[in-house]
Amino acid sequence: MLSVNTNTTNLFLHRQQTANANQLSTTFARLSSGMRINSAADDAAGLQISNRMSSQISGLSVAQRNANDGISIAQTAEGALEEVTNVLFRMRDLSLQASNGILSNDDKDALDKEFGQLKQELTRINETTTFGGKQVFNQTDSIGSGGADEAERNILNVLQSGVLAESEDIIQSVLGLTGDGADFKINLENIDGASGVLASVSYLAPAGTELMMNIDLDDFSTLDGDKTNQLKSTLLHEMTHAVMANQMDLASTPTWFREGTAEAVSGADDRVASDIANFGVAALKAELNGIFGDNSAPTSTGIEIAGVYSGGYIAMRYLEDKIGSAGIQNFMAALAGGQTFDAAFNSTTPYADENTFQTEIMGGTVFEDFITANINTANADNGAFGGLDADGGPSREETIVGANGNNTTANFTAYFVKGDDDTDPNDFTSGTNYAATGLNQVLLADYESELSGPKETTQFQIGANADETIKMLVGGFSSDNLGLSGIDLVADSQSAIASIDDALQYVNDQRASLGAFSNRLDHAINNLSNIESNITASRSRIQDTDFAQETSKQTALQIQQQAITALLSQSQSLPQIALALIG
C-alpha cells in the first residue's frame, strides 16, 4: 500500500538500522575489549560463572605464594636445625671424651665449660631464628617425653645408664650376694615431698618376693650434677636392699643392720659428719644403742633417722673392721643360707650373737674411738666398703663411677611401670596389683621415650576457599627443650651421652618432618598451578571474544548497515511518488 501519512517502509528500515547499530556496537565492544561479556546484559549467567572463576583464579595465585612462603620458612627452620645437629654432635664428642677414665675432674671441668657454652648456643638459635620477624621455633622452657614428663625421662635415663647393673656388681663384690633373676619393678611416686624419703624397696616377707622400688618424683623432678649423684647413690642403697631381700629373710634382721649395710655399700661419711654436727656423737651412740635387736626401729625424728642410718653405718664399718671383707661376705652367706641373725653372728664372727656385738661396740669409748680412728670425714673418700677408708682400696668420692653400661639389671628381670596414681603409694605395690593390671608395664631395657613437646603452629592458606589450610608444627630446641640444661659432664658424662642421643633423635625427627612438609608444599603448588591453568582456560571460553566469529559478524553487520542506509535514503521518496499520482 502506498501511503502519504505513514511511510511504513521507512519505519521498518529505521528499526533495522537501530538493531544493526546495536549489534555492531556490541561487536565493536567485544573486539575492542577482547571480552565476550562486557556487561550482565551480554550473558547474565556467564558473568556470574566467570566472576566466580576470576575469584578462584586470584585465590589460587595467592595460595601459591602462600605455599612458597611455607617452603621458605620450612627451609629456614631446617637450616637452623642443621646447625643444632652440628652442635649436638660436638656435645656428644665432649661427653664421650669426658667418659674416658684417664681424665681428672679438672679435665672434665674444662670440657664442661665448652659443653655449657654449646648449651647456651642451642638456646640462642632457638630464640633468634626468625622469618619475617616471626620466631620459627616454640619458646616454651620444658619438653615432654613420649607421654612421659621430663622428670620421668631424666630418671629413666639414669636408670638405663648402667647404674643398676653397676650396683649389682658392687653388691656382689663387697657382700657376695647376687639376685636370682626375680621380677623387680620400678615405679615413680610423689612419696612425701622434697627432702623426705628419696626411694624405698618393698617386698613380701619372708621370701622377698614381689620386689619393687619406688623413687620419689618430688626429690628428683629435675636433675643437675649433684642431684644425679644423689640419685645414683640412692639407687645403690636401694639395690642393696633388693638383693638382700631376694637372698635372705631381710625383714627378720634389725633395722640398723639393713640400713647400715646399704649405707656401707654406697658410702655415708657425709651423712655421719652432718649427723655428728647436728646431734653429737653421744646422742648418736645412745640412739644406736637403743635400737639393737629392733626390726622396726622408728625413723620419725632427726635423731631417730641418724641412729638408724649413721649409727647403722658406723656399726657395719666396725663389724667389717673386726672380721674383714671376707668375713662380711661369710656373714651374708650365712643369712642367705637361712640362718637367723644371731646364728649368723655365732657361726661367722667372733661374737656369739647381736647382743655380744652390741656390748663390745657400746662399751666404754669404743664407739667414739672407732669414729675418730676410722671414719675419716675430712678426706675425699666416702667410706664405702671396698674403698680407701674401709679397705685400703681406691679413694672414691662417688661409689657409682659408670663402670657398667648395661641398660638394665643383670640379675633381676627389671620392669618400669607407670599409669598408677603417683600420689597414692598403695594402689600399686608389693601385694597390691603387682601384676600391674590396667597399668603400663615395660621391660626396663625396652623402655624408650622419644622427646616430644609443645609445637609452634604456623598455618598456611593454600587454597582459594576458606579452611583450605595446612599446618606446620615445629618444636623448641633450646637446651631446656632438649633435656640438656641440667647435664654436668663432671658428674655424669654417661647420662649425657644418652640424653644427647635422645636429643639428636628428636632433632632428626623434626628435620624429617620439615622435609616432608616442604615436599608436600611442592606438590600442593604443582596442583594449585594446574587448577589455576585449567580454570583460566575455562573462564576464557566463557568470557573471552572469539575474534574470528566477531570479525566475521562485524563485516556482515557493516555491509548490512550500508545497505540499510542506502535503502533508508530511497524510502524517503515514497510519499513523493504518492503526490505524483495526484498530480
Side-chain angles (χ1 to χ4, degrees):
M1 182 182 74
L2 186 61
S3 171
V4 175
N5 290 331
T6 304
N7 191 343
T8 56
T9 300
N10 184 270
L11 291 174
F12 173 79
L13 289 172
H14 187 271
R15 180 166 54 84
Q16 292 298 318
Q17 186 183 44
T18 301
N20 178 275
N22 289 338
Q23 292 182 57
L24 195 58
S25 175
T26 299
T27 298
F28 283 155
R30 288 175 176 174
L31 289 172
S32 62
S33 68
M35 304 285 288
R36 186 181 71 86
I37 305 173
N38 290 290
S39 70
D42 294 334
D43 185 349
L47 179 66
Q48 290 190 39
I49 295 171
S50 64
N51 281 345
R52 287 200 300 268
M53 287 182 170
S54 295
S55 176
Q56 184 179 6
I57 290 166
S58 178
L60 289 168
S61 179
V62 173
Q64 290 176 70
R65 294 199 300 272
N66 292 345
N68 278 309
D69 288 341
I71 292 176
S72 298
I73 193 172
Q75 289 173 340
T76 300
E78 206 278 328
L81 291 185
E82 182 177 5
E83 194 54 39
V84 168
T85 301
N86 292 334
V87 170
L88 291 174
F89 283 158
R90 178 56 182 163
M91 294 174 76
R92 192 176 193 279
D93 290 344
L94 292 172
S95 301
L96 291 170
Q97 188 176 353
S99 299
N100 193 350
I102 68 169
L103 298 183
S104 67
N105 282 347
D106 288 340
D107 297 330
K108 293 180 180 180
D109 185 61
L111 296 175
D112 194 57
K113 285 182 171 61
E114 180 181 353
F115 195 89
Q117 289 295 316
L118 293 176
K119 288 192 290 186
Q120 294 180 40
E121 179 60 16
L122 288 175
T123 300
R124 191 196 67 81
I125 291 173
N126 189 69
E127 293 175 349
T128 61
T129 302
T130 60
F131 183 83
K134 172 183 170 59
Q135 287 182 308
V136 174
F137 300 131
N138 186 271
Q139 299 299 310
T140 55
D141 293 332
S142 61
I143 193 156
S145 172
D149 58 21
E150 187 176 2
E152 176 187 313
R153 177 180 170 274
N154 290 339
I155 293 171
L156 266 293
N157 271 347
V158 173
L159 289 170
Q160 291 183 316
S161 69
V163 62
L164 298 183
E166 185 177 357
S167 295
E168 290 177 304
D169 292 341
I170 293 170
I171 294 165
Q172 195 279 329
S173 174
V174 298
L175 301 184
L177 301 175
T178 59
D180 63 3
D183 287 353
F184 178 55
K185 300 190 177 182
I186 301 169
N187 185 33
L188 307 182
E189 294 277 347
N190 299 104
I191 298 175
D192 59 357
S195 302
V197 176
L198 303 180
S200 63
V201 165
S202 63
Y203 51 89
L204 297 183
T209 56
E210 299 197 5
L211 280 168
M212 182 171 172
M213 181 193 295
N214 281 318
I215 300 172
D216 190 7
L217 283 167
D218 295 321
D219 286 292
F220 301 110
S221 58
T222 58
L223 294 180
D224 55 16
D226 291 338
K227 276 291 185 181
T228 298
N229 286 335
Q230 184 184 34
L231 176 58
K232 289 182 176 181
S233 179
T234 300
L235 292 172
L236 174 55
H237 180 106
E238 298 304 330
M239 281 299 293
T240 303
H241 289 322
V243 173
M244 292 175 69
N246 177 250
Q247 292 296 301
M248 64 185 70
D249 183 5
L250 187 61
S252 296
T253 62
T255 305
W256 71 264
F257 167 75
R258 298 197 298 268
E259 300 301 340
T261 301
E263 289 291 86
V265 170
S266 59
D269 277 4
D270 287 346
R271 177 192 282 273
V272 170
S274 176
D275 286 341
I276 289 176
N278 290 331
F279 305 110
V281 174
L284 185 62
K285 178 180 180 180
E287 184 64 29
L288 174 62
N289 191 45
I291 61 174
F292 276 102
D294 190 343
N295 295 354
S296 56
T299 55
S300 299
T301 65
I303 186 59
E304 288 174 346
I305 294 171
V308 168
Y309 287 87
S310 290
Y313 165 71
I314 295 169
M316 288 304 299
R317 282 285 305 277
Y318 182 84
L319 179 62
E320 195 220 22
D321 185 64
K322 296 303 179 183
I323 65 177
S325 57
I328 290 292
Q329 292 190 14
N330 291 336
F331 185 71
M332 298 295 170
L335 291 171
Q339 292 188 22
T340 65
F341 195 62
D342 282 339
F345 258 114
N346 184 264
S347 64
T348 62
T349 76
Y351 308 102
D353 51 26
E354 180 190 8
N355 186 61
T356 306
F357 174 71
Q358 175 187 4
T359 300
E360 178 175 303
I361 191 173
M362 292 291 107
T365 60
V366 173
F367 185 79
E368 294 86 344
D369 293 343
F370 180 77
I371 292 175
T372 301
N374 297 87
I375 306 298
N376 187 347
T377 59
N379 66 0
D381 187 75
N382 62 14
F385 283 168
L388 177 65
D389 293 348
D391 297 299
S395 177
R396 298 176 301 185
E397 188 174 353
E398 301 294 337
T399 309
I400 297 290
V401 295
N404 191 321
N406 195 340
N407 66 350
T408 185
T409 51
N411 302 301
F412 290 109
T413 304
Y415 294 90
F416 173 64
V417 181
K418 62 180 296 185
D420 63 320
D421 183 354
D422 290 341
T423 64
D424 182 1
N426 298 314
D427 65 335
F428 169 61
T429 186
S430 304
T432 303
N433 194 26
Y434 189 74
T437 303
L439 306 179
N440 298 320
Q441 176 174 281
V442 62
L443 286 168
L444 180 61
D446 295 337
Y447 175 88
E448 292 183 1
S449 184
E450 295 181 358
L451 282 168
S452 65
K455 300 291 195 299
E456 183 71 18
T457 301
T458 305
Q459 182 170 281
F460 298 94
Q461 176 72 34
I462 60 163
N465 302 311
D467 299 324
E468 293 181 351
T469 62
I470 62 173
K471 295 178 180 179
M472 182 181 76
L473 302 177
V474 185
F477 300 91
S478 68
S479 57
D480 285 328
N481 298 143
L482 297 176
L484 304 177
S485 59
I487 290 178
D488 185 334
L489 293 188
V490 179
D492 191 8
S493 56
Q494 289 293 329
S495 180
I497 297 170
S499 295
I500 292 170
D501 285 341
D502 287 344
L504 280 168
Q505 182 61 49
Y506 177 59
V507 173
N508 290 340
D509 287 345
Q510 287 287 289
R511 292 183 67 181
S513 295
L514 288 170
F517 181 76
S518 294
N519 290 339
R520 177 185 179 184
L521 286 181
D522 279 333
H523 291 294
I525 291 170
N526 291 338
N527 183 54
L528 291 169
S529 178
N530 178 61
I531 295 172
E532 182 183 13
S533 176
N534 289 322
I535 295 297
T536 301
S538 299
R539 183 186 63 174
S540 174
R541 286 189 288 270
I542 294 172
Q543 73 173 18
D544 288 356
T545 298
D546 184 341
F547 272 76
Q549 180 182 7
E550 290 299 328
T551 53
S552 174
K553 186 175 181 181
Q554 178 198 17
T555 301
L557 289 171
Q558 286 177 331
I559 293 171
Q560 187 180 17
Q561 184 185 50
Q562 293 172 8
I564 292 171
T565 301
L567 291 172
L568 188 61
S569 175
Q570 294 179 26
S571 70
Q572 299 293 336
S573 63
L574 288 178
Q576 295 297 327
I577 296 173
L579 291 175
L581 292 174
I582 295 173

